[in-house]
């Protein structure tokens, strides 16, 4: 029942993902959520984010941001990075995940998504056939609708972690 919401992998942060290994396996496109995945909600890109994006570009990845936020928010975050982006993405609809892959020239097997929410980010990526990393949210304080979703996410994550333990994955 909950499996459709399960990430392919769950890690502490976007900085822990083995990007060089992914590139070696043929991944060429990276899709990122912004808020609570790479920076605090509504915050600009930090020096840590800028360094990560520069590293990923040097490896050879095409990068896009996929956000449910508006144009002003996403373009402001992206101004120093210069990656592609789609705002008002309507996640978890797979439509804009697919559009992002078309713009990057990648396919589901050569694309990875990184996000912090199961019911929008991860479910949307899974619906589009994309390998999905779940990261822990950066901010401790969130809007009320996200706080409510997080309570439901805890239930799904309980069963996800239990399935991982049974499979010997942690």
């Amino acid at each position: 029942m909950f499996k459709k919401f399960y990430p392919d992998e769950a890690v502490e942060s976007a900085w822990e993902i083995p990007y060089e290994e992914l590139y070696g396996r043929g991944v060429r496109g990276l899709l990122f959520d912004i808020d609570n995945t790479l920076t605090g909600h509504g915050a600009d890109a930090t020096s840590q984010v800028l360094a990560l994006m520069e590293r990923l570009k040097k490896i050879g990845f095409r990068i896009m941001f996929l956000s449910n936020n508006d144009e002003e928010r996403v373009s402001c975050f992206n101004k120093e990075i210069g990656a592609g982006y789609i705002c008002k993405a309507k996640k978890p609809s797979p439509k804009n995940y697919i559009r992002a892959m078309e713009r990057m020239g990648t396919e589901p097997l050569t694309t990875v998504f990184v996000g912090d929410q199961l019911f929008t980010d991860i479910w949307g990526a899974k619906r589009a056939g994309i390998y999905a990393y779940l990261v822990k949210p950066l901010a401790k304080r969130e809007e009320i609708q996200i706080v409510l979703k997080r309570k439901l996410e805890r239930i799904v994550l309980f069963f996800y972690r239990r399935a991982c333990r049974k499979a010997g994955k942690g």
Side-chain angles (χ1 to χ4, degrees):
M1 175 178 161
F2 293 132
K3 287 182 182 177
K4 65 184 173 185
F5 301 112
Y6 289 1
D8 292 294
E9 292 190 51
V11 294
E12 287 292 315
S13 75
W15 287 264
E16 287 188 15
I17 296 169
Y19 295 107
E20 288 83 1
E21 184 181 308
L22 291 175
Y23 195 84
R25 292 191 317 217
V27 173
R28 295 299 181 261
L30 298 172
L31 295 174
F32 288 93
D33 176 50
I34 295 172
D35 289 331
N36 271 341
T37 297
L38 294 172
T39 192
H41 200 74
D44 289 338
T46 63
S47 60
Q48 185 181 27
V49 171
L50 296 173
L52 175 62
M53 294 302 133
E54 189 61 34
R55 175 180 151 218
L56 298 176
K57 288 177 184 179
K58 283 182 182 171
I59 293 170
F61 286 110
R62 290 174 216 111
I63 301 166
M64 285 198 67
F65 301 115
L66 194 60
S67 175
N68 284 345
N69 277 300
D70 62 23
E71 172 82 24
E72 183 180 355
R73 164 66 184 128
V74 180
S75 66
C76 184
F77 173 84
N78 187 45
K79 71 182 173 203
E80 290 186 60
I81 298 167
Y85 65 85
I86 296 174
C87 55
K88 296 184 180 178
K90 298 182 180 165
K91 296 179 286 183
S93 169
K95 177 183 171 188
N96 283 312
Y97 291 82
I98 293 165
R99 189 168 143 224
M101 286 187 289
E102 288 169 355
R103 288 177 55 188
M104 291 189 299
T106 62
E107 299 174 356
L109 289 176
T110 59
T111 306
V112 164
F113 182 84
V114 181
D116 70 294
Q117 291 190 54
L118 288 178
F119 303 133
T120 53
D121 298 330
I122 303 305
W123 189 30
K126 300 308 293 178
R127 291 174 73 196
I130 300 170
Y131 195 90
Y133 276 92
L134 177 69
V135 299
K136 289 189 177 178
L138 294 173
K140 302 297 177 217
R141 297 186 60 150
E142 297 179 298
E143 297 172 353
I144 188 66
Q145 72 273 14
I146 296 173
V147 170
L148 295 173
K149 279 196 276 185
R150 296 282 187 215
K151 290 181 184 294
L152 294 173
E153 283 183 354
R154 279 191 214 116
I155 297 166
V156 175
L157 287 171
F158 169 82
F159 289 102
Y160 167 74
R161 289 183 186 109
R162 188 168 79 176
C164 287
R165 281 191 303 275
K166 284 183 179 179
K169 293 197 275 182

